[in-house]
Amino acid sequence: MTGPTVPAPRSAEPEPATGWAPTWALGRAVLLAGLLLVAGVLLGRVDLIVLAAPFALGTAYALRRRPSALPQVWITPGDDGPMVEGGAVTAAVSVGNPDTVDYDLVVVRSRVSPWLRIERAGFAFDGSHDDATHNGGAAPAGGAGRSVADRPFVTSVPRATAVDLGLAGRALRWGRHPVGPAGARVATAGGLLVSRAVITEPVRVRVYPRTEPFEAVEAMPRAAGLVGAHHSRRPGEGGELAGVRIFAPGDRLRRIDWRVSLRARQLHVASTLSDRDAEVVVLLDVLAEAGRSGGVGGAASVLDTTVRATAAIAEHYLHRGDRVSLLEYGPAARRLRPAAGRRQYLTVLEWLLDVRAQASQHEPYDQVFGPQLLSSDALVVVLTPLLDERSAQMLARLARAGRFVVAVDTLPTDLTPPKDRGWAEVAYRLWRLDREIMIGQLREHGVPVVRWAGAGSLDQVLRDVARLAMAPRVGAR
């Protein structure tokens, strides 16, 4: 079976235009045969000519069919569906032989992202070809202490056949991780000819963040839509009973409370509160990164906590029928429009794959909130490590603007102080104290700050924000 059409391979080093070069074995065979023939003719010794005959005939026999086409190399990601942190990841590096001669030896090597732990690798032939019915096992030629994916693999490829180097392992962290580049080098004609290295471009596989368990049972501070799962204070069609009142034109007959109507001798209807949806804006502070990521099951950096918490919060509120939008507080100022449903959740996961920490010397507040206006009824959940004073200023501005803001602290709890001698430890303690003072000032401005802890992290905070939203304003008539 001929391999599929792939982009033109590129060479890692300059080689002849044909793509094939003689090996040292061919040079030694030609040199030895030539020396024996010349010596036999000059010295008149027939035995030297007879001794040179096998080398000459063997070289000529091996070169009777020279290869004309270079091998084809391409990478195919696994089709096991969406990959999540901690889940299985599969890929295949395929080597095709479009020539009419067999490849005696093929050495394949591929690079893989360190966040993809490849645990098993091996070749598989395409059994649809008559000449590829043998097993053709492969043996890694690397050291025992190296990663499986970093070892060169050796096999043979019959003519008009393709073999697949299957890679299987686990995805350790979210993101777009490259599989490749992969390269192959072929020896043919009994090892007398070798091809130049054919290298293919890497293929990036998408690994979605693992959704941490999160459940917020408290009501939203204020619902803004027309329909949804949250009980508002406005009368309308819903399931929460608000009271009983006299029948009015436009009321539905199924709302008539016959017991009260018979006692009062006048029609009365049951009044309900409308169910409304809410808009949740998740704001990601990407001005700084701290901590070292250990992948799934290991230590979490600021970005790890931010991305996983965002996925959990979005999944929770989208499952309840709310509208969720995402914002980046950084120089890029990326934005995902508010929407609801499962399609929005998949879009959120795709959007999170491109989250990167980006330092900026300029104030990004106007870039994030200048052209776009947040809804006055939206709940703004800010995921921030509070490592930059501009982040605290941004939270204070949102609170002064009357927004319902909840700050989630994403700084790792196991952040260790620097081990340098001198004043490093003292400076670290002063920085910690300054950060605690900043958090206290934010709470004085009406911005609750809570550390992310999975399920129930925001319950108490949302309860306080909901009470604040329902409390009468000073000076209101």
Side-chain angles (χ1 to χ4, degrees):
M1 179 177 179
T2 305
T5 303
V6 295
R10 59 182 179 90
S11 176
E13 57 185 30
E15 293 285 350
T18 57
W20 295 88
T23 63
W24 287 104
L26 177 59
R28 288 192 298 268
V30 172
L31 178 61
L32 182 58
L35 291 177
L36 290 175
L37 287 176
V38 172
V41 172
L42 294 178
L43 300 177
R45 296 186 54 178
V46 181
D47 57 337
L48 295 179
I49 298 177
V50 173
L51 186 61
F55 294 98
L57 294 177
T59 303
Y61 181 80
L63 295 176
R64 74 190 189 282
R65 298 181 63 188
R66 296 174 59 102
S68 58
L70 290 173
Q72 295 176 328
V73 183
W74 65 94
I75 303 174
T76 306
D79 54 354
D80 299 335
M83 286 177 284
V84 186
E85 288 180 304
V89 58
T90 57
V93 179
S94 302
V95 181
N97 181 3
D99 213 325
T100 57
V101 298
D102 298 340
Y103 290 159
D104 300 329
L105 185 69
V106 179
V107 180
V108 183
R109 193 166 187 173
S110 175
R111 290 183 179 179
V112 180
S113 169
W115 295 114
L116 301 178
R117 179 179 294 173
I118 302 301
E119 301 170 346
R120 299 184 306 277
F123 277 109
F125 281 82
D126 186 356
S128 61
H129 196 275
D130 295 338
D131 295 337
T133 55
H134 58 285
N135 293 330
R146 303 166 65 183
S147 173
V148 173
D150 192 41
R151 302 174 180 176
F153 289 81
V154 180
T155 186
S156 60
V157 183
R159 62 182 181 273
T161 306
V163 296
D164 297 331
L165 173 61
L167 305 176
R170 293 175 59 234
L172 301 182
R173 192 173 185 259
W174 56 272
R176 304 181 190 271
H177 302 300
V179 177
R185 202 158 189 173
V186 174
T188 186
L192 300 181
L193 296 177
V194 63
S195 72
R196 63 177 173 85
V198 178
I199 302 177
T200 184
E201 296 294 334
V203 174
R204 294 188 176 273
V205 297
R206 295 171 295 182
V207 179
Y208 295 122
R210 182 182 61 178
T211 303
E212 297 185 359
F214 171 68
E215 183 72 21
V217 298
E218 291 300 320
M220 295 292 294
R222 186 179 297 171
L226 297 178
V227 293
H230 302 286
H231 301 306
S232 70
R233 293 178 294 170
R234 301 181 181 180
E237 295 295 330
E240 185 73 13
L241 183 64
V244 180
R245 58 176 176 81
I246 299 177
F247 182 86
D251 290 335
R252 297 186 179 183
L253 296 180
R254 64 185 182 90
R255 293 289 186 181
I256 296 178
D257 191 330
W258 293 106
R259 293 184 178 180
V260 177
S261 300
L262 290 176
R263 289 198 303 267
R265 298 182 179 275
Q266 188 178 5
L267 289 178
H268 283 70
V269 294
S271 176
T272 58
L273 297 176
S274 62
D275 295 333
R276 303 198 169 199
D277 67 342
E279 179 180 346
V280 180
V281 179
V282 184
L283 181 60
L284 288 72
D285 182 2
V286 295
L287 291 179
E289 166 71 318
R292 179 174 296 180
S293 176
V296 60
S301 65
V302 168
L303 281 186
D304 289 340
T305 304
T306 300
V307 170
R308 293 165 185 166
T310 301
I313 294 173
E315 181 186 26
H316 169 74
Y317 285 109
L318 289 173
H319 182 72
R320 295 173 61 118
D322 297 322
R323 291 171 287 117
V324 175
S325 63
L326 303 181
L327 280 173
E328 267 190 5
Y329 187 68
R334 294 194 306 142
R335 180 185 180 92
L336 179 64
R337 62 176 182 82
R342 177 167 178 78
R343 182 176 180 180
Q344 177 71 357
Y345 177 63
L346 298 178
T347 306
V348 166
L349 294 180
E350 192 75 19
W351 191 89
L352 290 174
L353 296 182
D354 298 321
V355 174
R356 298 290 183 273
Q358 300 176 347
S360 175
Q361 298 179 354
H362 305 284
E363 172 60 60
Y365 186 87
D366 295 335
Q367 297 178 349
V368 178
F369 302 103
Q372 297 90 3
L373 295 177
L374 296 178
S375 173
S376 59
D377 296 322
L379 172 64
V380 183
V381 180
V382 182
L383 300 168
T384 173
L386 292 174
L387 295 175
D388 198 311
E389 293 183 0
R390 292 172 294 180
S391 302
Q393 295 173 2
M394 175 265 297
L395 290 170
R397 291 183 188 179
L398 290 177
R400 287 196 300 265
R403 302 291 188 263
F404 300 105
V405 184
V406 175
V408 179
D409 187 3
T410 58
L411 189 69
T413 56
D414 56 351
L415 193 63
T416 57
K419 298 181 180 180
D420 298 338
R421 297 180 179 179
W423 298 94
E425 186 176 354
V426 177
Y428 177 78
R429 293 180 181 178
L430 292 177
W431 171 78
R432 279 286 189 181
L433 291 175
D434 183 68
R435 187 172 180 272
E436 293 297 330
I437 293 175
M438 181 173 58
I439 293 176
Q441 291 176 347
L442 286 175
R443 288 170 178 166
E444 292 178 359
H445 280 78
V447 180
V449 181
V450 61
R451 181 172 295 278
W452 175 257
S457 297
L458 307 183
D459 272 350
Q460 181 62 39
V461 175
L462 290 180
R463 186 183 301 114
D464 296 339
V465 174
R467 290 175 180 174
L468 181 63
M470 291 185 296
R473 297 184 179 181
V474 178
R477 294 182 179 179

